[in-house]
Amino acid sequence: MTGGTRSGGRPDGPLPYVLVALAFTTGMIDASSFLDLGQIFVAAMTGNVIILGLGLAGHGTPLPSALSLMSFAAGAAGGGSAVLSWSGRRHRGLLLAAGTAVQTVLVCGASVLASRYGFADPRARWPVIMTLAFSLGWEYAIVRGIRVPDLNTTVVTTTLTSLFAESVVPARQGRRLVSICALLTGALVSGTLRRVLFPAAPLWTAVLVLTGCTVVVYVAARRPGAERWR
């Protein structure tokens, strides 16, 4: 991936690489929710809308997908408020670090519940759905707020359409392809970890990756020269 600069020429520093890692964790978490939380998504809200419609038509229960949609929306609202309240003079790398730290805590909490009670236990299932969906809505709002072009951590449909429908410079197409591959790889790793270790292993792995992202982007934003990509 060659993307350290915005389309308008403004550098993005390490942000594109961190967003690829976040897309990877999104793939892991969404795969885990689909396999263990009743075939619903906590990131891919388009799929949840379809599942909710089917549930309302009598094909399964609509409650899990409805909870996920509402929690994602609440997380997006919270993340959007955080972006608006972030002073324009402060580094956007620090915004991403703070936002990722919050997401790390939320995913860690969901991992503890899933490990303690199991995904099927109502004491864990409903809070885990709500917590994970909130965390991903929060994440995507923060990612939109830092404005790194052509790298989505949640939405694949728009990225895939742009990849094939628009004629742009190869570097921008490369970013789009990498973000799609990161989500795919996350789902692959999630399924593998779940099979060879234990069901909550993908969530704990996501916690480790998110922690690493938080530390990397915070340190990078504090280094000399970071003002070039603020």
Side-chain angles (χ1 to χ4, degrees):
M1 182 177 60
T2 59
T5 305
R6 292 188 185 190
S7 57
R10 180 180 175 185
D12 288 313
L15 294 180
Y17 304 98
V18 175
L19 295 189
V20 170
L22 292 180
F24 172 79
T25 63
T26 297
M28 292 186 66
I29 294 170
D30 226 16
S32 181
S33 71
F34 185 82
L35 292 173
D36 293 305
L37 294 171
Q39 295 189 335
I40 56 100
F41 300 102
V42 290
M45 290 298 115
T46 302
N48 266 349
V49 170
I50 303 301
I51 294 170
L52 176 61
L54 290 172
L56 292 173
H59 300 281
T61 174
L63 180 58
S65 55
L67 278 177
S68 183
L69 280 164
M70 290 187 292
S71 300
F72 187 95
S81 296
V83 171
L84 289 175
S85 64
W86 195 263
S87 171
R89 296 187 298 274
R90 300 182 70 182
H91 201 294
R92 61 193 171 121
L94 296 178
L95 170 61
L96 182 60
T100 306
V102 171
Q103 186 187 11
T104 302
V105 172
L106 292 169
V107 177
C108 185
S111 303
V112 170
L113 284 174
S115 298
R116 173 67 177 83
Y117 297 107
F119 287 101
D121 192 317
R123 289 176 293 179
R125 186 185 182 196
W126 307 122
V128 167
I129 289 174
M130 296 171 67
T131 303
L132 292 178
F134 184 97
S135 77
L136 288 160
W138 167 275
E139 174 207 291
Y140 193 51
I142 299 294
V143 167
R144 285 176 59 86
I146 65 173
R147 300 183 183 278
V148 177
D150 304 310
L151 278 172
N152 281 313
T153 59
T154 303
V155 181
V156 171
T157 305
T158 302
T159 306
L160 191 63
T161 302
S162 301
L163 179 64
F164 292 102
E166 297 179 6
S167 178
V168 296
V169 295
R172 292 188 63 186
Q173 295 292 54
R175 283 187 173 195
R176 293 167 177 172
L177 182 60
V178 165
S179 66
I180 294 169
C181 290
L183 281 163
L184 174 63
T185 304
L188 174 63
V189 171
S190 182
T192 303
L193 288 174
R194 180 183 181 276
R195 186 178 66 249
V196 302
L197 295 177
F198 53 94
L203 297 184
W204 284 113
T205 305
V207 170
L208 293 176
V209 177
L210 289 168
T211 301
C213 289
T214 302
V215 173
V216 166
V217 75
Y218 178 81
V219 171
R222 291 292 190 181
R223 289 172 65 98
E227 65 276 1
R228 292 194 301 269
W229 53 278
R230 67 176 297 149

PDB file of all heavy atoms in Angstrom, residues 83-117:
ATOM      1  N   VAL A  83     -16.109  13.547  17.463  1.00  0.00           N
ATOM      2  CA  VAL A  83     -15.396  14.211  16.371  1.00  0.00           C
ATOM      3  C   VAL A  83     -15.715  15.704  16.359  1.00  0.00           C
ATOM      4  O   VAL A  83     -14.824  16.555  16.206  1.00  0.00           O
ATOM      5  CB  VAL A  83     -15.761  13.571  15.019  1.00  0.00           C
ATOM      6  CG1 VAL A  83     -15.202  14.393  13.861  1.00  0.00           C
ATOM      7  CG2 VAL A  83     -15.233  12.144  14.944  1.00  0.00           C
ATOM      8  N   LEU A  84     -16.984  16.053  16.532  1.00  0.00           N
ATOM      9  CA  LEU A  84     -17.391  17.464  16.514  1.00  0.00           C
ATOM     10  C   LEU A  84     -16.793  18.244  17.671  1.00  0.00           C
ATOM     11  O   LEU A  84     -16.482  19.436  17.550  1.00  0.00           O
ATOM     12  CB  LEU A  84     -18.915  17.564  16.543  1.00  0.00           C
ATOM     13  CG  LEU A  84     -19.645  17.127  15.269  1.00  0.00           C
ATOM     14  CD1 LEU A  84     -21.155  17.162  15.488  1.00  0.00           C
ATOM     15  CD2 LEU A  84     -19.255  18.013  14.085  1.00  0.00           C
ATOM     16  N   SER A  85     -16.656  17.599  18.822  1.00  0.00           N
ATOM     17  CA  SER A  85     -16.131  18.287  20.002  1.00  0.00           C
ATOM     18  C   SER A  85     -14.605  18.364  20.003  1.00  0.00           C
ATOM     19  O   SER A  85     -14.026  19.087  20.813  1.00  0.00           O
ATOM     20  CB  SER A  85     -16.605  17.586  21.281  1.00  0.00           C
ATOM     21  OG  SER A  85     -16.080  16.271  21.357  1.00  0.00           O
ATOM     22  N   TRP A  86     -13.968  17.611  19.105  1.00  0.00           N
ATOM     23  CA  TRP A  86     -12.505  17.599  19.047  1.00  0.00           C
ATOM     24  C   TRP A  86     -12.033  18.898  18.406  1.00  0.00           C
ATOM     25  O   TRP A  86     -12.382  19.214  17.289  1.00  0.00           O
ATOM     26  CB  TRP A  86     -12.027  16.405  18.237  1.00  0.00           C
ATOM     27  CG  TRP A  86     -10.568  16.079  18.400  1.00  0.00           C
ATOM     28  CD1 TRP A  86      -9.548  16.449  17.584  1.00  0.00           C
ATOM     29  CD2 TRP A  86      -9.971  15.295  19.432  1.00  0.00           C
ATOM     30  NE1 TRP A  86      -8.364  15.948  18.028  1.00  0.00           N
ATOM     31  CE2 TRP A  86      -8.589  15.239  19.172  1.00  0.00           C
ATOM     32  CE3 TRP A  86     -10.491  14.643  20.553  1.00  0.00           C
ATOM     33  CZ2 TRP A  86      -7.709  14.545  19.994  1.00  0.00           C
ATOM     34  CZ3 TRP A  86      -9.609  13.959  21.376  1.00  0.00           C
ATOM     35  CH2 TRP A  86      -8.239  13.908  21.097  1.00  0.00           C
ATOM     36  N   SER A  87     -11.219  19.627  19.099  1.00  0.00           N
ATOM     37  CA  SER A  87     -10.766  20.912  18.584  1.00  0.00           C
ATOM     38  C   SER A  87     -10.000  20.736  17.290  1.00  0.00           C
ATOM     39  O   SER A  87      -9.188  19.825  17.142  1.00  0.00           O
ATOM     40  CB  SER A  87      -9.867  21.599  19.627  1.00  0.00           C
ATOM     41  OG  SER A  87      -9.254  22.745  19.077  1.00  0.00           O
ATOM     42  N   GLY A  88     -10.232  21.613  16.332  1.00  0.00           N
ATOM     43  CA  GLY A  88      -9.531  21.557  15.058  1.00  0.00           C
ATOM     44  C   GLY A  88      -8.037  21.770  15.199  1.00  0.00           C
ATOM     45  O   GLY A  88      -7.272  21.467  14.274  1.00  0.00           O
ATOM     46  N   ARG A  89      -7.597  22.306  16.322  1.00  0.00           N
ATOM     47  CA  ARG A  89      -6.165  22.517  16.534  1.00  0.00           C
ATOM     48  C   ARG A  89      -5.467  21.268  17.050  1.00  0.00           C
ATOM     49  O   ARG A  89      -4.246  21.225  17.116  1.00  0.00           O
ATOM     50  CB  ARG A  89      -5.950  23.671  17.528  1.00  0.00           C
ATOM     51  CG  ARG A  89      -6.443  25.022  17.029  1.00  0.00           C
ATOM     52  CD  ARG A  89      -6.049  26.126  17.996  1.00  0.00           C
ATOM     53  NE  ARG A  89      -6.654  25.933  19.309  1.00  0.00           N
ATOM     54  CZ  ARG A  89      -7.871  26.367  19.634  1.00  0.00           C
ATOM     55  NH1 ARG A  89      -8.608  26.990  18.718  1.00  0.00           N
ATOM     56  NH2 ARG A  89      -8.341  26.179  20.848  1.00  0.00           N
ATOM     57  N   ARG A  90      -6.219  20.274  17.438  1.00  0.00           N
ATOM     58  CA  ARG A  90      -5.624  19.060  18.000  1.00  0.00           C
ATOM     59  C   ARG A  90      -5.387  18.037  16.903  1.00  0.00           C
ATOM     60  O   ARG A  90      -6.104  17.991  15.900  1.00  0.00           O
ATOM     61  CB  ARG A  90      -6.530  18.483  19.087  1.00  0.00           C
ATOM     62  CG  ARG A  90      -6.745  19.463  20.238  1.00  0.00           C
ATOM     63  CD  ARG A  90      -7.595  18.865  21.320  1.00  0.00           C
ATOM     64  NE  ARG A  90      -6.881  17.814  22.047  1.00  0.00           N
ATOM     65  CZ  ARG A  90      -7.425  17.101  23.030  1.00  0.00           C
ATOM     66  NH1 ARG A  90      -8.687  17.316  23.384  1.00  0.00           N
ATOM     67  NH2 ARG A  90      -6.733  16.178  23.646  1.00  0.00           N
ATOM     68  N   HIS A  91      -4.415  17.204  17.100  1.00  0.00           N
ATOM     69  CA  HIS A  91      -3.963  16.271  16.058  1.00  0.00           C
ATOM     70  C   HIS A  91      -5.012  15.178  15.822  1.00  0.00           C
ATOM     71  O   HIS A  91      -5.526  14.580  16.764  1.00  0.00           O
ATOM     72  CB  HIS A  91      -2.639  15.643  16.497  1.00  0.00           C
ATOM     73  CG  HIS A  91      -1.835  15.087  15.376  1.00  0.00           C
ATOM     74  ND1 HIS A  91      -2.239  14.003  14.629  1.00  0.00           N
ATOM     75  CD2 HIS A  91      -0.644  15.480  14.860  1.00  0.00           C
ATOM     76  CE1 HIS A  91      -1.315  13.738  13.721  1.00  0.00           C
ATOM     77  NE2 HIS A  91      -0.346  14.619  13.829  1.00  0.00           N
ATOM     78  N   ARG A  92      -5.308  14.915  14.555  1.00  0.00           N
ATOM     79  CA  ARG A  92      -6.302  13.880  14.257  1.00  0.00           C
ATOM     80  C   ARG A  92      -5.782  12.492  14.594  1.00  0.00           C
ATOM     81  O   ARG A  92      -6.563  11.555  14.808  1.00  0.00           O
ATOM     82  CB  ARG A  92      -6.743  13.937  12.792  1.00  0.00           C
ATOM     83  CG  ARG A  92      -5.633  13.714  11.774  1.00  0.00           C
ATOM     84  CD  ARG A  92      -6.097  14.099  10.380  1.00  0.00           C
ATOM     85  NE  ARG A  92      -4.976  14.088   9.458  1.00  0.00           N
ATOM     86  CZ  ARG A  92      -4.907  13.332   8.367  1.00  0.00           C
ATOM     87  NH1 ARG A  92      -5.914  12.534   8.055  1.00  0.00           N
ATOM     88  NH2 ARG A  92      -3.865  13.374   7.576  1.00  0.00           N
ATOM     89  N   GLY A  93      -4.458  12.333  14.665  1.00  0.00           N
ATOM     90  CA  GLY A  93      -3.912  11.069  15.130  1.00  0.00           C
ATOM     91  C   GLY A  93      -4.282  10.802  16.576  1.00  0.00           C
ATOM     92  O   GLY A  93      -4.564   9.662  16.972  1.00  0.00           O
ATOM     93  N   LEU A  94      -4.304  11.852  17.384  1.00  0.00           N
ATOM     94  CA  LEU A  94      -4.711  11.698  18.781  1.00  0.00           C
ATOM     95  C   LEU A  94      -6.203  11.394  18.882  1.00  0.00           C
ATOM     96  O   LEU A  94      -6.630  10.669  19.788  1.00  0.00           O
ATOM     97  CB  LEU A  94      -4.371  12.964  19.570  1.00  0.00           C
ATOM     98  CG  LEU A  94      -2.876  13.295  19.688  1.00  0.00           C
ATOM     99  CD1 LEU A  94      -2.682  14.598  20.442  1.00  0.00           C
ATOM    100  CD2 LEU A  94      -2.121  12.151  20.361  1.00  0.00           C
ATOM    101  N   LEU A  95      -6.993  11.947  17.967  1.00  0.00           N
ATOM    102  CA  LEU A  95      -8.415  11.603  17.920  1.00  0.00           C
ATOM    103  C   LEU A  95      -8.591  10.115  17.647  1.00  0.00           C
ATOM    104  O   LEU A  95      -9.378   9.432  18.319  1.00  0.00           O
ATOM    105  CB  LEU A  95      -9.124  12.420  16.842  1.00  0.00           C
ATOM    106  CG  LEU A  95     -10.564  12.008  16.491  1.00  0.00           C
ATOM    107  CD1 LEU A  95     -11.477  12.129  17.706  1.00  0.00           C
ATOM    108  CD2 LEU A  95     -11.098  12.844  15.333  1.00  0.00           C
ATOM    109  N   LEU A  96      -7.867   9.589  16.659  1.00  0.00           N
ATOM    110  CA  LEU A  96      -7.970   8.163  16.360  1.00  0.00           C
ATOM    111  C   LEU A  96      -7.467   7.324  17.527  1.00  0.00           C
ATOM    112  O   LEU A  96      -8.060   6.285  17.854  1.00  0.00           O
ATOM    113  CB  LEU A  96      -7.183   7.833  15.089  1.00  0.00           C
ATOM    114  CG  LEU A  96      -7.252   6.369  14.630  1.00  0.00           C
ATOM    115  CD1 LEU A  96      -8.688   5.955  14.339  1.00  0.00           C
ATOM    116  CD2 LEU A  96      -6.370   6.141  13.407  1.00  0.00           C
ATOM    117  N   ALA A  97      -6.390   7.757  18.175  1.00  0.00           N
ATOM    118  CA  ALA A  97      -5.862   7.010  19.327  1.00  0.00           C
ATOM    119  C   ALA A  97      -6.895   6.962  20.448  1.00  0.00           C
ATOM    120  O   ALA A  97      -7.130   5.905  21.044  1.00  0.00           O
ATOM    121  CB  ALA A  97      -4.570   7.644  19.820  1.00  0.00           C
ATOM    122  N   ALA A  98      -7.515   8.102  20.742  1.00  0.00           N
ATOM    123  CA  ALA A  98      -8.523   8.139  21.809  1.00  0.00           C
ATOM    124  C   ALA A  98      -9.734   7.285  21.431  1.00  0.00           C
ATOM    125  O   ALA A  98     -10.265   6.538  22.262  1.00  0.00           O
ATOM    126  CB  ALA A  98      -8.956   9.586  22.056  1.00  0.00           C
ATOM    127  N   GLY A  99     -10.171   7.404  20.177  1.00  0.00           N
ATOM    128  CA  GLY A  99     -11.323   6.623  19.736  1.00  0.00           C
ATOM    129  C   GLY A  99     -11.050   5.134  19.764  1.00  0.00           C
ATOM    130  O   GLY A  99     -11.910   4.336  20.185  1.00  0.00           O
ATOM    131  N   THR A 100      -9.850   4.739  19.359  1.00  0.00           N
ATOM    132  CA  THR A 100      -9.499   3.318  19.356  1.00  0.00           C
ATOM    133  C   THR A 100      -9.336   2.794  20.776  1.00  0.00           C
ATOM    134  O   THR A 100      -9.650   1.627  21.057  1.00  0.00           O
ATOM    135  CB  THR A 100      -8.213   3.093  18.546  1.00  0.00           C
ATOM    136  OG1 THR A 100      -8.373   3.654  17.244  1.00  0.00           O
ATOM    137  CG2 THR A 100      -7.929   1.610  18.387  1.00  0.00           C
ATOM    138  N   ALA A 101      -8.867   3.641  21.683  1.00  0.00           N
ATOM    139  CA  ALA A 101      -8.758   3.230  23.090  1.00  0.00           C
ATOM    140  C   ALA A 101     -10.140   2.918  23.661  1.00  0.00           C
ATOM    141  O   ALA A 101     -10.316   1.915  24.373  1.00  0.00           O
ATOM    142  CB  ALA A 101      -8.079   4.325  23.901  1.00  0.00           C
ATOM    143  N   VAL A 102     -11.124   3.769  23.341  1.00  0.00           N
ATOM    144  CA  VAL A 102     -12.492   3.510  23.799  1.00  0.00           C
ATOM    145  C   VAL A 102     -13.003   2.197  23.209  1.00  0.00           C
ATOM    146  O   VAL A 102     -13.607   1.368  23.915  1.00  0.00           O
ATOM    147  CB  VAL A 102     -13.421   4.677  23.408  1.00  0.00           C
ATOM    148  CG1 VAL A 102     -14.878   4.323  23.680  1.00  0.00           C
ATOM    149  CG2 VAL A 102     -13.033   5.941  24.168  1.00  0.00           C
ATOM    150  N   GLN A 103     -12.764   1.990  21.921  1.00  0.00           N
ATOM    151  CA  GLN A 103     -13.220   0.756  21.296  1.00  0.00           C
ATOM    152  C   GLN A 103     -12.541  -0.461  21.919  1.00  0.00           C
ATOM    153  O   GLN A 103     -13.175  -1.509  22.108  1.00  0.00           O
ATOM    154  CB  GLN A 103     -12.940   0.788  19.795  1.00  0.00           C
ATOM    155  CG  GLN A 103     -13.521  -0.428  19.064  1.00  0.00           C
ATOM    156  CD  GLN A 103     -13.109  -0.502  17.616  1.00  0.00           C
ATOM    157  OE1 GLN A 103     -12.229   0.233  17.177  1.00  0.00           O
ATOM    158  NE2 GLN A 103     -13.750  -1.380  16.858  1.00  0.00           N
ATOM    159  N   THR A 104     -11.278  -0.340  22.245  1.00  0.00           N
ATOM    160  CA  THR A 104     -10.553  -1.452  22.868  1.00  0.00           C
ATOM    161  C   THR A 104     -11.206  -1.859  24.180  1.00  0.00           C
ATOM    162  O   THR A 104     -11.400  -3.058  24.456  1.00  0.00           O
ATOM    163  CB  THR A 104      -9.095  -1.056  23.118  1.00  0.00           C
ATOM    164  OG1 THR A 104      -8.477  -0.675  21.881  1.00  0.00           O
ATOM    165  CG2 THR A 104      -8.316  -2.208  23.725  1.00  0.00           C
ATOM    166  N   VAL A 105     -11.554  -0.877  24.988  1.00  0.00           N
ATOM    167  CA  VAL A 105     -12.208  -1.164  26.276  1.00  0.00           C
ATOM    168  C   VAL A 105     -13.547  -1.861  26.051  1.00  0.00           C
ATOM    169  O   VAL A 105     -13.879  -2.840  26.750  1.00  0.00           O
ATOM    170  CB  VAL A 105     -12.396   0.135  27.082  1.00  0.00           C
ATOM    171  CG1 VAL A 105     -13.243  -0.117  28.322  1.00  0.00           C
ATOM    172  CG2 VAL A 105     -11.041   0.715  27.473  1.00  0.00           C
ATOM    173  N   LEU A 106     -14.316  -1.391  25.077  1.00  0.00           N
ATOM    174  CA  LEU A 106     -15.618  -1.993  24.808  1.00  0.00           C
ATOM    175  C   LEU A 106     -15.493  -3.438  24.332  1.00  0.00           C
ATOM    176  O   LEU A 106     -16.208  -4.336  24.803  1.00  0.00           O
ATOM    177  CB  LEU A 106     -16.366  -1.158  23.761  1.00  0.00           C
ATOM    178  CG  LEU A 106     -16.819   0.237  24.206  1.00  0.00           C
ATOM    179  CD1 LEU A 106     -17.301   1.043  23.002  1.00  0.00           C
ATOM    180  CD2 LEU A 106     -17.912   0.141  25.258  1.00  0.00           C
ATOM    181  N   VAL A 107     -14.583  -3.681  23.395  1.00  0.00           N
ATOM    182  CA  VAL A 107     -14.400  -5.042  22.884  1.00  0.00           C
ATOM    183  C   VAL A 107     -13.841  -5.948  23.972  1.00  0.00           C
ATOM    184  O   VAL A 107     -14.204  -7.130  24.067  1.00  0.00           O
ATOM    185  CB  VAL A 107     -13.489  -5.039  21.639  1.00  0.00           C
ATOM    186  CG1 VAL A 107     -13.234  -6.469  21.149  1.00  0.00           C
ATOM    187  CG2 VAL A 107     -14.115  -4.230  20.517  1.00  0.00           C
ATOM    188  N   CYS A 108     -12.984  -5.411  24.827  1.00  0.00           N
ATOM    189  CA  CYS A 108     -12.461  -6.194  25.951  1.00  0.00           C
ATOM    190  C   CYS A 108     -13.598  -6.601  26.887  1.00  0.00           C
ATOM    191  O   CYS A 108     -13.660  -7.752  27.343  1.00  0.00           O
ATOM    192  CB  CYS A 108     -11.404  -5.390  26.696  1.00  0.00           C
ATOM    193  SG  CYS A 108     -10.590  -6.307  28.014  1.00  0.00           S
ATOM    194  N   GLY A 109     -14.505  -5.671  27.165  1.00  0.00           N
ATOM    195  CA  GLY A 109     -15.650  -6.002  28.011  1.00  0.00           C
ATOM    196  C   GLY A 109     -16.508  -7.098  27.416  1.00  0.00           C
ATOM    197  O   GLY A 109     -16.948  -8.024  28.117  1.00  0.00           O
ATOM    198  N   ALA A 110     -16.754  -7.008  26.099  1.00  0.00           N
ATOM    199  CA  ALA A 110     -17.526  -8.050  25.430  1.00  0.00           C
ATOM    200  C   ALA A 110     -16.797  -9.389  25.474  1.00  0.00           C
ATOM    201  O   ALA A 110     -17.422 -10.451  25.639  1.00  0.00           O
ATOM    202  CB  ALA A 110     -17.797  -7.639  23.977  1.00  0.00           C
ATOM    203  N   SER A 111     -15.482  -9.360  25.347  1.00  0.00           N
ATOM    204  CA  SER A 111     -14.690 -10.595  25.394  1.00  0.00           C
ATOM    205  C   SER A 111     -14.773 -11.251  26.767  1.00  0.00           C
ATOM    206  O   SER A 111     -14.866 -12.480  26.877  1.00  0.00           O
ATOM    207  CB  SER A 111     -13.227 -10.292  25.048  1.00  0.00           C
ATOM    208  OG  SER A 111     -13.110  -9.683  23.781  1.00  0.00           O
ATOM    209  N   VAL A 112     -14.743 -10.441  27.817  1.00  0.00           N
ATOM    210  CA  VAL A 112     -14.849 -10.981  29.178  1.00  0.00           C
ATOM    211  C   VAL A 112     -16.194 -11.666  29.369  1.00  0.00           C
ATOM    212  O   VAL A 112     -16.284 -12.783  29.902  1.00  0.00           O
ATOM    213  CB  VAL A 112     -14.662  -9.857  30.217  1.00  0.00           C
ATOM    214  CG1 VAL A 112     -15.017 -10.346  31.610  1.00  0.00           C
ATOM    215  CG2 VAL A 112     -13.224  -9.336  30.189  1.00  0.00           C
ATOM    216  N   LEU A 113     -17.268 -11.009  28.923  1.00  0.00           N
ATOM    217  CA  LEU A 113     -18.605 -11.602  29.048  1.00  0.00           C
ATOM    218  C   LEU A 113     -18.708 -12.908  28.275  1.00  0.00           C
ATOM    219  O   LEU A 113     -19.240 -13.906  28.775  1.00  0.00           O
ATOM    220  CB  LEU A 113     -19.656 -10.618  28.555  1.00  0.00           C
ATOM    221  CG  LEU A 113     -20.008  -9.455  29.481  1.00  0.00           C
ATOM    222  CD1 LEU A 113     -20.947  -8.493  28.773  1.00  0.00           C
ATOM    223  CD2 LEU A 113     -20.644  -9.970  30.767  1.00  0.00           C
ATOM    224  N   ALA A 114     -18.218 -12.890  27.030  1.00  0.00           N
ATOM    225  CA  ALA A 114     -18.299 -14.096  26.204  1.00  0.00           C
ATOM    226  C   ALA A 114     -17.487 -15.238  26.795  1.00  0.00           C
ATOM    227  O   ALA A 114     -17.900 -16.407  26.742  1.00  0.00           O
ATOM    228  CB  ALA A 114     -17.827 -13.788  24.785  1.00  0.00           C
ATOM    229  N   SER A 115     -16.331 -14.922  27.363  1.00  0.00           N
ATOM    230  CA  SER A 115     -15.493 -15.958  27.954  1.00  0.00           C
ATOM    231  C   SER A 115     -16.095 -16.486  29.253  1.00  0.00           C
ATOM    232  O   SER A 115     -15.979 -17.675  29.568  1.00  0.00           O
ATOM    233  CB  SER A 115     -14.090 -15.402  28.225  1.00  0.00           C
ATOM    234  OG  SER A 115     -13.455 -15.008  27.036  1.00  0.00           O
ATOM    235  N   ARG A 116     -16.733 -15.604  29.991  1.00  0.00           N
ATOM    236  CA  ARG A 116     -17.278 -15.991  31.301  1.00  0.00           C
ATOM    237  C   ARG A 116     -18.550 -16.824  31.170  1.00  0.00           C
ATOM    238  O   ARG A 116     -18.725 -17.835  31.852  1.00  0.00           O
ATOM    239  CB  ARG A 116     -17.553 -14.726  32.123  1.00  0.00           C
ATOM    240  CG  ARG A 116     -18.274 -14.971  33.460  1.00  0.00           C
ATOM    241  CD  ARG A 116     -17.384 -15.731  34.422  1.00  0.00           C
ATOM    242  NE  ARG A 116     -18.039 -15.915  35.717  1.00  0.00           N
ATOM    243  CZ  ARG A 116     -18.908 -16.875  35.999  1.00  0.00           C
ATOM    244  NH1 ARG A 116     -19.241 -17.756  35.049  1.00  0.00           N
ATOM    245  NH2 ARG A 116     -19.436 -16.975  37.203  1.00  0.00           N
ATOM    246  N   TYR A 117     -19.448 -16.401  30.284  1.00  0.00           N
ATOM    247  CA  TYR A 117     -20.762 -17.036  30.211  1.00  0.00           C
ATOM    248  C   TYR A 117     -21.002 -17.836  28.929  1.00  0.00           C
ATOM    249  O   TYR A 117     -21.891 -18.678  28.891  1.00  0.00           O
ATOM    250  CB  TYR A 117     -21.862 -15.976  30.333  1.00  0.00           C
ATOM    251  CG  TYR A 117     -21.861 -15.259  31.652  1.00  0.00           C
ATOM    252  CD1 TYR A 117     -21.418 -13.947  31.739  1.00  0.00           C
ATOM    253  CD2 TYR A 117     -22.289 -15.895  32.818  1.00  0.00           C
ATOM    254  CE1 TYR A 117     -21.411 -13.262  32.954  1.00  0.00           C
ATOM    255  CE2 TYR A 117     -22.284 -15.225  34.043  1.00  0.00           C
ATOM    256  CZ  TYR A 117     -21.844 -13.915  34.099  1.00  0.00           C
ATOM    257  OH  TYR A 117     -21.834 -13.258  35.304  1.00  0.00           O
TER     258      TYR A 117
END
